[in-house]
Amino acid sequence: GEDVEQSLFLSVREGDSSVINCTYTDSSSTYLYWYKQEPGAGLQLLTYIFSNMDMKQDQRLTVLLNKKDKHLSLRIADTQTGDSAIYFCAVDNDYKLSFGAGTTVTVRA
Amino acid sequence: GAGVSQSPSNKVTEKGKDVELRCDPISGHTALYWYRQRLGQGLEFLIYFQGNSAPDKSGLPSDRFSAERTGESVSTLTIQRTQQEDSAVYLCASSFYEAYGYTFGSGTRLTVV
């Protein structure tokens, strides 16, 4: 099956940029996603990128996709305390999503 | 409804008992999915419904797990003879198109004691 890898933890100072990285194995994915999970809550779709795109920007979020290296990243500009959460990378395989284990982002003052 | 609703939000059950978890998808969403999230791990796919049919049940861990969907709406995930390893958060999601813009519910946290 699809293998999606993420680093487990990221600590960032408030106001700095956060970069969360993800690698995957299936090159046939059509859409690649970033989800955010806050404590006790379900997963919230943050953004997604179509596989024929290299970059997508959405307000403070920038998604970069390197298909050759099968590498996806999420950059959060001007990180705020409300950005503290677990971020999941996910790639599609038909109707299924394969998820990484999640990156816990901690924002420190 | 406005979002995907799951109930109960928390369930504690004794080992060996049966449990039913319910999911109300967004109205009009034809696709419905169940995933399981164990502590500190990513999500594992369990089952996919298109309408009331389940073309892919490949993620169900054992024959103790079953799911149904009726009226192209509500889905129930049933776990029989629960075991401690079944303890997890069970997440339901629905979408209008397959795997495009999944909307997740808040999940049911199942604890088997």
Side-chain angles (χ1 to χ4, degrees):
Chain A
E2 175 69 72
D3 194 19
V4 182
E5 302 281 341
Q6 296 178 244
S7 52
L8 294 182
F9 300 100
L10 176 67
S11 178
V12 62
R13 193 188 307 270
E14 190 176 9
D16 287 351
S17 292
S18 309
V19 179
I20 308 167
N21 295 300
C22 171
T23 58
Y24 58 97
T25 55
D26 186 355
S27 58
S28 66
S29 298
T30 304
Y31 290 97
L32 301 96
Y33 303 84
W34 284 102
Y35 282 86
K36 177 183 181 183
Q37 186 178 40
E38 294 179 274
L43 273 72
Q44 172 196 355
L45 177 63
L46 272 183
T47 187
Y48 64 93
I49 188 167
F50 190 50
S51 58
N52 70 354
M53 297 170 65
D54 299 323
M55 185 182 85
K56 179 179 179 181
Q57 188 146 3
D58 184 0
Q59 300 181 344
R60 292 191 299 123
L61 305 178
T62 303
V63 179
L64 294 177
L65 175 60
N66 182 328
K67 282 196 76 173
K68 175 175 168 291
D69 294 340
K70 297 179 189 170
H71 183 268
L72 182 73
S73 68
L74 174 69
R75 177 177 179 271
I76 306 172
D78 186 25
T79 310
Q80 303 297 308
T81 54
D83 296 324
S84 292
I86 304 175
Y87 292 79
F88 291 92
C89 164
V91 302
D92 72 3
N93 180 359
D94 284 336
Y95 46 82
K96 281 187 211 180
L97 293 185
S98 295
F99 287 83
T103 300
T104 300
V105 173
T106 303
V107 182
R108 60 187 194 277
Chain B
V4 177
S5 177
Q6 291 188 246
S7 59
S9 54
N10 280 286
K11 176 74 177 176
V12 180
T13 190
E14 291 181 353
K15 180 180 169 181
K17 294 278 173 88
D18 297 352
V19 294
E20 283 191 354
L21 312 181
R22 178 186 167 106
C23 173
D24 281 274
I26 291 173
S27 178
H29 278 192
T30 56
L32 185 147
Y33 317 81
W34 285 97
Y35 282 78
R36 178 169 72 176
Q37 184 180 22
R38 288 185 162 139
L39 188 64
Q41 297 184 24
L43 278 68
E44 303 169 68
F45 168 81
L46 296 179
I47 188 169
Y48 155 62
F49 285 93
Q50 181 59 249
N52 292 334
S53 301
D56 189 347
K57 307 177 185 180
S58 63
L60 294 178
S62 73
D63 59 9
R64 296 187 296 104
F65 287 71
S66 63
E68 65 173 14
R69 188 179 184 195
T70 56
E72 299 198 354
S73 179
V74 172
S75 176
T76 304
L77 176 69
T78 301
I79 309 173
Q80 295 178 308
R81 305 181 303 282
T82 50
Q83 303 295 310
Q84 287 187 327
E85 63 262 27
D86 300 335
S87 295
V89 176
Y90 290 82
L91 289 160
C92 175
S94 69
S95 68
F96 189 58
Y97 294 109
E98 293 172 350
Y100 177 75
Y102 269 32
T103 301
F104 279 90
S106 297
T108 293
R109 182 176 299 278
L110 175 66
T111 305
V112 182
V113 297

